[in-house]
Amino acid sequence: TKSQRWMKWIEQVEKIRLIRNDYAHGRWINGNSANNFHFAKLSWPVNSEPPQTLIDVTPAEIDVLSSEIWKLTRSMDDVLAPYFNIR
C-alpha cells in the first residue's frame, strides 16, 4: 500500500540521516594511508562515559552512503506522488 511504501521510505531516510549527522558533526582524523580515515562521533562528555572509540571509514563506504542519499532523494517524487498528485 502507499502508506507502507511511505513508512519504508521514511525508515530508510531516518537511518541515512543519522549516519549523515554523525559524519557531518563528528571528528575526522586522516588514517595512515589514503585508503581509510578514522572517525569519532560527536558526543557530549558525561563523567561516566568511556573514552570514544575511533571508527575506520573507507572512501568506498562514504561513496556508498552518498549514492544512497541520492537514490532516496530521486525516489521522493515517486513516494509522494499518491499523496500530492505529482507528475
Side-chain angles (χ1 to χ4, degrees):
T1 68
K2 67 181 182 180
S3 64
Q4 289 172 328
R5 188 172 179 198
W6 169 255
M7 291 306 298
K8 182 179 177 189
W9 187 82
I10 290 295
E11 287 173 15
Q12 291 172 316
V13 168
E14 181 64 10
K15 181 181 86 174
I16 295 299
R17 184 189 68 80
L18 293 172
I19 295 170
R20 178 255 170 229
N21 285 351
D22 284 343
Y23 283 7
H25 301 291
R27 290 180 294 135
W28 288 92
I29 303 156
N30 194 4
N32 294 333
S33 71
N35 296 327
N36 72 328
F37 299 93
H38 301 295
F39 168 76
K41 292 182 181 182
L42 178 65
S43 67
W44 303 105
V46 178
N47 290 340
S48 62
E49 204 172 274
Q52 213 167 28
T53 303
L54 293 178
I55 300 165
D56 287 329
V57 179
T58 65
E61 290 170 312
I62 295 169
D63 284 346
V64 167
L65 177 64
S66 178
S67 294
E68 184 66 19
I69 290 169
W70 283 114
K71 177 181 159 191
L72 288 168
T73 301
R74 287 190 302 272
S75 68
M76 186 167 50
D77 283 350
D78 292 336
V79 172
L80 293 176
Y83 297 96
F84 297 104
N85 206 12
I86 297 172
R87 300 244 188 232

